[in-house]
Amino acid sequence: MSARNIVLIHGAWAGGWVWDRVCGPLKSAGFNPVVVELPGSGSWNPDDVIDLDVVAEHVVAVVESLDGQCALVGHSGGGIVASQVAELLPSRVTGLVYVAGMMLPSQTDFGMLCIELGLESPVGISRWLVPADDGDATAVPPEAGAAVFFHEAPVADAIFAARMLVPQLESARLMAPVWTEERFGTVPRLYVECTLDRTVPIEAQRAMQRLVPGAQVVSLGTDHAPQLSALPELIDAITDFARQVFSRTRPLEPAEAGPSN
């Protein structure tokens, strides 16, 4: 039987560590969690061009290396990557989960969405960012990370997570997905909204739900990182949805497949 793979995609300034507490419960629920480390986050070669195409192809390679179907879970800006991978590989992606994620309309980046909504600039963490790598990247001061991303988590967890944040290439952050209804639009979606989020405001989360309709929605009264602040509720949301979508796409048994030619 093919593995029920759940590919976990982190957002900007983060890394695979954001999923550390998620993997054990997913395994216990019968899934195969696969954590991705995205290029353009933490370190890179000075001459590298790292944009959405490069980042998405990195995840595509991970998906293609796995046996069976995959559900993709994108946290924050990782949602952009998840959308693009679904557009590229709709036959391998059985479902998409956005965790306070950027489920953006095609050819729209988050800044464009915020302008369209009339949100006061700078939005969320943007007001606290400091330039890095001669301006090609940005970094989040730990005190801002704790206050903006992790304010509902236990204090020790918030401090630890804020200190784990790394510089992020702007070309790998300010991205706009390009997708079609015929490909991305056929993949089932779940949006896990976080109503106390201080960086992707709930107004923006709900605008994305309106502009990219069709997703199931689970609402959590927590901050930008429910992996730390609302873990049981997040696990329930992901596993309930994953069971649905893997059930929908299970391989046909021989009796169901019909006569062979």
Side-chain angles (χ1 to χ4, degrees):
M1 183 170 118
S2 296
R4 300 192 297 173
N5 304 297
I6 298 183
V7 177
L8 302 163
I9 306 171
H10 65 79
W13 309 289
W17 59 268
V18 302
W19 303 111
D20 284 353
R21 296 187 183 182
V22 171
C23 289
L26 290 183
K27 288 179 183 176
S28 296
F31 299 99
N32 177 41
V34 179
V35 176
V36 178
E37 297 282 353
L38 296 180
S41 183
S43 63
W44 49 84
N45 294 321
D47 297 329
D48 286 350
V49 176
I50 302 177
D51 56 14
L52 180 56
D53 288 341
V54 171
V55 176
E57 285 297 339
H58 179 81
V59 181
V60 163
V62 172
V63 170
E64 290 182 329
S65 74
L66 298 170
D67 177 38
Q69 299 289 105
C70 297
L72 307 183
V73 182
H75 178 227
S76 190
I80 302 169
V81 183
S83 295
Q84 198 63 42
V85 173
E87 175 69 15
L88 295 169
L89 285 180
S91 64
R92 292 294 305 276
V93 177
T94 190
L96 293 167
V97 180
Y98 297 82
V99 179
M102 295 188 185
M103 188 174 69
L104 292 164
S106 184
Q107 303 184 64
T108 301
D109 66 31
F110 186 64
M112 294 164 63
L113 177 74
C114 291
I115 291 170
E116 198 173 305
L117 294 176
L119 298 179
E120 184 178 351
S121 181
V123 175
I125 198 64
S126 296
R127 73 181 61 228
W128 309 110
L129 296 178
V130 295
D133 197 36
D134 295 327
D136 291 333
T138 53
V140 179
E143 60 273 22
V148 176
F149 293 150
F150 310 120
H151 52 92
E152 294 297 307
V155 172
D157 291 343
I159 293 171
F160 172 82
R163 289 175 174 169
M164 288 290 289
L165 298 173
V166 295
Q168 175 79 34
L169 268 180
E170 291 291 87
S171 61
R173 178 176 79 94
L174 304 174
M175 306 181 296
V178 179
W179 53 260
T180 62
E181 289 291 346
E182 294 75 24
R183 297 177 69 82
F184 162 85
T186 65
V187 180
R189 286 173 282 119
L190 168 69
Y191 196 95
V192 180
E193 65 175 30
C194 297
T195 62
L196 304 181
D197 196 330
R198 292 176 177 171
T199 196
V200 182
I202 189 60
E203 302 97 310
Q205 295 179 54
R206 289 180 176 168
M208 289 185 282
Q209 295 167 35
R210 292 193 304 271
L211 294 168
V212 187
Q216 298 179 40
V217 178
V218 169
S219 187
L220 303 181
T222 193
D223 60 19
H224 189 62
Q227 301 97 316
L228 298 178
S229 58
L231 180 61
E233 295 86 352
L234 177 63
I235 294 297
D236 285 347
I238 294 173
T239 55
D240 287 351
F241 177 76
R243 290 187 186 103
Q244 291 177 41
V245 296
F246 281 114
S247 175
R248 287 177 72 255
T249 58
R250 65 182 177 84
L252 291 176
E253 297 296 333
E256 298 175 288
S260 58
N261 294 323

